[in-house]
Amino acid sequence: MGVPDRLAERMSMAEQHEYLRARFSRRTMIRGGAVTLGAVTGGAFVTGATAQAAVPAQRTAPAAEHVDGALVAPFGRHLAYGTDARTEMTVSWQVPVAVKKPFIRIGARPWDLSRKIEAEVRTLYTPAGVGASGDHTQYYLHARLTHLRPGRTYYYGVGHEGFDPAEPHLLGTLGTFTTAPAHKEPFTFTAFGDQGVSYHALANDSLILGQNPAFHLHAGDIAYGDPAGQGKSTDTGFDARTWDQFLAQTESVAKQIPWMVSYGNHDMEAWYSPNGYGGEDARWTLPDNGPDAKNLPGVYSFVHGNTAIISLDPNDVSFEIPANLGISGGTQTKWFESQLKRFRARDDIDFVIVFFHHCAYCTSTAHASEGGVRQEWVPLFEQYQVDLVINGHNHQYERTDVIKAGAVTKKLPIGGTAYPETEGVVYVTAGAAGRSLYAFSAPDSYEGNEHEVDSVASFINTKDGKVNETVTWSRVRYLNYSFLRVDVTPAPRGRQTTLKVSGIAETGDRIDHFTVSRRAK
């Protein structure tokens, strides 16, 4: 992306951002900065606003001054819960060119979309010379819906001047979403990481849609606009247009299932902002209840039924890829502990699930385990009896035994049950969503093809570099495309409530299953 290798090696993400801005601001015509955000106004049902931005001047073929809105179809719709998943939802989408007066229509019936709300426009410009996508402008639109009813299905359509989804010939473009319930009830969610754009990524999306999940967790490395993933600006392969492909690919499922993302190392893009997340800020609207929405936009929590979900940003603690190491100054870990305390004190929450990118425990020959995560967060997982930790980063499926204080407290065979209140934590790496696969040093061992070994040779990334380790906690290993399905079943107070966790291959075959059980509040 333009910073010489010799400089990038010793520059932080913020320093690379400033270098790029200074260099390319002198060479290109940038109108309104890299990201243009609309102002936000309040409303009883929704908050939103518009901000029109012109396409930057091109040096090749001239662009039309105005494109008829009837010829511009929205694409890339994706949903996200708000801070309160019972009453808030954000609908986001993209258009290929600037449009006038974008909006969303919403109603309880497809023939009653009388509520029409303005959308917020976020314009993202990548100038010539930054990676492979010079002079490319992207237009992202967002509508925050509030004061919704819990457990209710809504119909919606997105449009702009010249394209109204309420018109009879456009009713086929409508989507639906369902808010989280007000009370405890059974539900299913899915999860994976490291997706990108590929046939395998699309196949996993299609299979996930068939699980009918209430929401989906994406554990980072979302689209791979930056294929190098080092948080450096030397990657000439950076291409912002990859996001156009990704959102088009994902729309079939994300337009109706909240797509809750966490940020990985490939999601740091140095041009857009000092923390590398300026591009993500334009594309996603996530719950804003984290410790620092400016520096850590991918850190948040939400509650669905009897389960609390916490998203963390491991770039803040990563020794392996230190571009954003220490960016929070410790505030993320403090916030995380406060969230764990709060959720464990609530009578309506039984399970706490944490998801993020870098692995606490993994034996891949690529990234393996992240020492920063073990140092900062594993003690908190154990202290507050976190029920399940979901990671990506390593492109395969791997599941541990029950671990506490770095040792196996209980072997957890396929079909077994873990009791986090007394035994420890189970970790799942579900990083085989679509990108090229990595490798294991031990043979695959999964449902129907078990090859148990006493130990596995691996390594951990520390502040002093890679350190070899021999581990006994690697229970299930599957080197092919897959995702995670979790079925949550509440129970009356004092009875055992369960998470039934399944690893599902791209073929639809089950490769792993186990249960997490605890006493219901």
Side-chain angles (χ1 to χ4, degrees):
M1 288 171 57
V3 178
D5 288 343
R6 65 183 184 280
L7 293 179
E9 287 297 328
R10 59 178 183 268
M11 293 170 72
S12 68
M13 176 66 69
E15 290 169 336
Q16 292 180 76
H17 166 71
E18 289 303 318
Y19 178 93
L20 286 167
R21 296 283 294 180
R23 177 182 178 186
F24 292 110
S25 292
R26 290 192 297 268
R27 293 174 49 190
T28 58
M29 296 179 63
I30 303 173
R31 299 184 180 180
V35 183
T36 303
L37 301 180
V40 178
T41 59
F45 190 76
V46 62
T47 59
T50 60
Q52 298 298 327
V55 178
Q58 306 293 309
R59 286 186 289 274
T60 54
E65 292 185 5
H66 174 69
V67 177
D68 185 349
L71 304 176
V72 181
F75 71 97
R77 288 169 291 176
H78 51 288
L79 306 174
Y81 285 134
T83 299
D84 186 347
R86 300 168 302 174
T87 63
E88 301 174 4
M89 188 76 73
T90 297
V91 181
S92 304
W93 66 100
Q94 194 173 352
V95 287
V97 297
V99 296
K100 294 182 178 180
K101 300 179 180 178
F103 62 86
I104 184 173
R105 289 189 179 275
I106 183 172
R109 300 288 186 273
W111 56 84
D112 181 16
L113 299 176
S114 56
R115 289 185 180 271
K116 182 179 179 182
I117 303 110
E118 285 184 293
E120 174 191 356
V121 181
R122 302 177 191 171
T123 303
L124 192 66
Y125 174 54
T126 308
V130 176
S133 54
D135 263 352
H136 184 58
T137 303
Q138 294 162 307
Y139 302 89
Y140 299 102
L141 304 98
H142 304 261
R144 298 183 187 226
L145 308 177
T146 63
H147 296 82
L148 303 171
R149 294 186 179 183
R152 176 69 65 88
T153 296
Y154 290 89
Y155 292 81
Y156 74 92
V158 299
H160 47 264
E161 186 177 282
F163 187 101
D164 191 335
E167 294 293 328
H169 68 289
L170 293 177
L171 290 179
T173 68
L174 299 184
T176 64
F177 64 78
T178 302
T179 52
H183 308 289
K184 296 181 180 182
E185 60 183 56
F187 68 94
T188 296
F189 73 88
T190 53
F192 60 40
D194 305 81
Q195 187 179 17
V197 180
S198 72
Y199 294 121
H200 298 291
L202 183 59
N204 261 335
D205 282 351
S206 300
L207 198 56
I208 282 172
L209 189 60
Q211 312 301 308
N212 193 30
F215 57 87
H216 177 74
L217 305 180
H218 196 309
D221 282 6
I222 304 169
Y224 288 82
D226 176 5
Q230 294 297 310
K232 297 183 182 301
S233 50
T234 53
D235 179 22
T236 56
F238 171 76
D239 195 336
R241 297 167 297 184
T242 302
W243 284 96
D244 304 343
Q245 295 176 292
F246 175 82
L247 291 173
Q249 166 191 273
T250 308
E251 181 175 23
S252 63
V253 56
K255 71 179 182 182
Q256 54 193 310
I257 297 167
W259 207 253
M260 308 304 294
V261 300
S262 180
Y263 296 151
N265 53 296
H266 284 273
D267 302 315
M268 297 184 290
E269 299 170 342
W271 160 253
Y272 300 115
S273 63
N275 62 5
Y277 299 135
E280 311 300 353
D281 286 340
R283 301 167 187 127
W284 304 93
T285 296
L286 300 168
D288 58 0
N289 58 357
D292 185 351
K294 180 179 179 181
N295 285 315
L296 299 169
V299 179
Y300 59 89
S301 66
F302 67 94
V303 172
H304 192 288
N306 70 336
T307 303
I309 309 290
I310 303 175
S311 170
L312 298 176
D313 183 349
N315 293 317
D316 179 32
V317 300
S318 174
F319 294 134
E320 180 195 13
I321 303 170
N324 268 342
L325 178 60
I327 190 173
S328 79
T331 59
Q332 178 175 200
T333 298
K334 291 178 182 177
W335 172 87
F336 178 42
E337 183 169 15
S338 71
Q339 291 287 290
L340 293 171
K341 286 181 180 178
R342 182 169 68 90
F343 288 138
R344 282 295 175 226
R346 283 178 53 169
D347 291 336
D348 59 334
I349 292 177
D350 296 315
F351 294 112
V352 177
I353 295 172
V354 183
F355 78 109
F356 55 93
H357 191 59
H358 300 54
C359 299
Y361 294 96
C362 186
T363 64
S364 164
T365 58
H367 300 295
S369 303
E370 172 55 64
V373 170
R374 287 200 201 171
Q375 174 181 295
E376 288 290 317
W377 298 338
V378 165
L380 296 177
F381 299 156
E382 297 176 357
Q383 180 181 350
Y384 294 95
Q385 304 164 8
V386 167
D387 297 284
L388 183 65
V389 176
I390 301 171
N391 299 131
H393 202 39
N394 290 286
H395 299 182
Q396 64 259 322
Y397 179 93
E398 185 170 17
R399 192 257 295 168
T400 71
D401 287 320
V402 188
I403 300 175
K404 193 171 187 177
V408 174
T409 57
K410 175 182 177 180
K411 287 188 176 182
L412 188 62
I414 294 169
T417 299
Y419 298 91
E421 291 171 287
T422 58
E423 295 175 344
V425 184
V426 180
Y427 299 81
V428 177
T429 299
R435 292 291 284 188
S436 57
L437 300 168
Y438 290 165
F440 289 117
S441 60
D444 280 16
S445 184
Y446 56 90
E447 189 164 348
N449 185 51
E450 295 183 49
H451 293 93
E452 185 171 347
V453 295
D454 293 331
S455 62
V456 176
S458 188
F459 65 90
I460 180 172
N461 294 284
T462 74
K463 61 182 178 181
D464 298 318
K466 294 181 179 180
V467 175
N468 292 331
E469 61 178 6
T470 300
V471 306
T472 60
W473 39 253
S474 179
R475 179 57 45 196
V476 178
R477 296 172 299 278
Y478 179 73
L479 191 59
N480 216 323
Y481 297 99
S482 57
F483 67 92
L484 202 65
R485 171 184 171 132
V486 181
D487 297 298
V488 184
T489 304
R493 183 181 180 88
R495 304 288 292 274
Q496 292 299 118
T497 179
T498 60
L499 302 174
K500 292 190 178 296
V501 186
S502 301
I504 308 294
E506 183 186 27
T507 59
D509 296 324
R510 191 174 67 183
I511 54 173
D512 184 25
H513 73 284
F514 65 96
T515 300
V516 177
S517 181
R518 67 163 53 238
R519 190 179 299 274
K521 294 180 181 179

